[in-house]
C-alpha cells in the first residue's frame, strides 16, 4: 500500500511534469487537472519523440525559509579506481539553500514561487534582494531554525538523513554512473533536496 505523506496534499493536488532530458527548470509545469496533465504528457511525447516523462507529486506543505520555498543543494563526488572493487562516494559537508524570490502561495501557479533554481529565479525582479544569488548557507539556515525554537539541528537531524538518501540512490545507480568506463574515473553530482513542513527530506 502506498501512503502519500500528509505534507504532499493539502487539497490542491498539485503535480510537477517535465521531460527527463532537460535542466535549469526548462519546460517544467505545475498542474492539478488530470486531463491537462495527460494532454501535456502527450504533447511532450510527440514534440521530439520523448520516451519518458517525469510526473512528480508536489509537496504542498514545504518547509519555508522566511516565507519562501527553498531547496538544498548538496555536492557528491563519486570515484572508481582501477584497484578498487567498488566505487566510493564523498559528500561535501557544505552546500547551500536556493530560495525563491517570492513568498510561497499554494494557490498560485507562478513558477517563480515554485521553482527555486538559479536559472529560473535570476529572471525575477526580486532576485538577490534578500540574499546574494538567493543562496543561504547552512549556518544561516541553522540560525533561522534556532529563531523558530524548533530544536532542530540541521547537521544532526536533517543532513544525516540526506546522506542516507544519497547512499541509497548512489547504490541504485552505480552501474549507470560508471557503465561507460569503470576504472580510474570520477563524477560530481549536484543533489537537490526539499524539506517538507515536518523537516523531512
Amino acid at each position: 500500500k502506498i501512503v502519500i505523506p500528509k505534507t504532499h496534499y493539502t487539497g490542491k493536488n498539485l503535480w510537477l511534469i517535465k521531460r527527463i532530458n532537460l535542466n535549469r527548470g526548462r519546460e517544467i509545469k505545475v498542474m492539478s487537472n488530470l486531463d491537462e496533465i495527460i494532454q501535456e504528457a502527450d504533447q511532450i511525447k510527440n514534440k521530439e519523440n520523448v520516451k519518458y516523462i517525469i510526473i512528480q507529486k508536489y509537496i504542498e506543505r514545504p518547509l519555508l525559509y522566511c516565507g519562501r520555498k527553498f531547496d538544498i543543494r548538496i555536492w557528491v563526488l563519486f570515484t572508481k579506481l582501477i584497484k578498487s572493487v567498488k566505487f566510493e562516494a564523498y559528500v561535501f559537508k557544505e552546500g547551500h539553500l536556493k530560495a525563491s524570490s517570492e513568498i510561497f502561495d499554494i494557490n498560485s501557479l507562478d513558477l517563480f514561487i515554485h521553482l527555486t533554481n538559479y536559472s529560473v529565479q535570476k529572471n525575477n525582479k526580486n532576485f538577490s534582494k534578500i540574499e546574494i544569488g538567493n543562496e543561504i548557507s547552512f549556518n544561516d539556515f541553522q540560525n533561522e531554525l534556532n529563531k523558530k525554537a524548533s530544536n532542530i539541528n540541521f547537521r544532526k537531524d536533517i543532513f544525516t538523513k540526506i546522506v542516507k538518501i544519497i547512499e541509497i540512490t548512489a547504490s541504485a545507480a552505480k552501474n549507470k554512473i560508471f557503465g561507460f568506463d569503470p576504472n580510474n574515473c570520477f563524477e560530481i553530482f549536484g543533489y537537490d533536496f526539499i524539506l517538507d513542513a515536518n523537516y523531512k527530506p
Side-chain angles (χ1 to χ4, degrees), residues 36-63:
E36 291 178 359
I37 291 172
I38 293 172
Q39 182 179 6
E40 179 69 19
D42 288 339
Q43 288 179 358
I44 293 173
K45 286 165 68 177
N46 295 330
K47 189 173 184 180
E48 294 179 18
N49 199 25
V50 176
K51 190 173 181 181
Y52 298 106
I53 298 166
I54 294 173
I55 301 176
Q56 179 180 359
K57 184 66 190 78
Y58 188 91
I59 298 173
E60 297 183 21
R61 286 184 57 228
L63 187 67

Side-chain angles (χ1 to χ4, degrees), residues 117-149:
N117 63 346
Y118 175 87
S119 296
V120 172
Q121 292 299 323
K122 70 179 182 180
N123 298 308
N124 185 279
K125 64 184 186 302
N126 294 321
F127 181 69
S128 281
K129 282 192 174 181
I130 302 175
E131 309 92 10
I132 296 175
N134 285 28
E135 292 184 1
I136 299 117
S137 70
F138 288 167
N139 287 339
D140 286 342
F141 181 44
Q142 183 62 59
N143 290 337
E144 186 65 22
L145 292 174
N146 295 343
K147 289 179 187 176
K148 291 183 176 181

Side-chain angles (χ1 to χ4, degrees), residues 142 145-146 149-154 157-158 198-199:
Q142 183 62 59
L145 292 174
N146 295 343
S150 61
N151 295 321
I152 295 290
N153 182 295
F154 172 74
D157 302 318
I158 297 173
N198 297 326
Y199 302 92

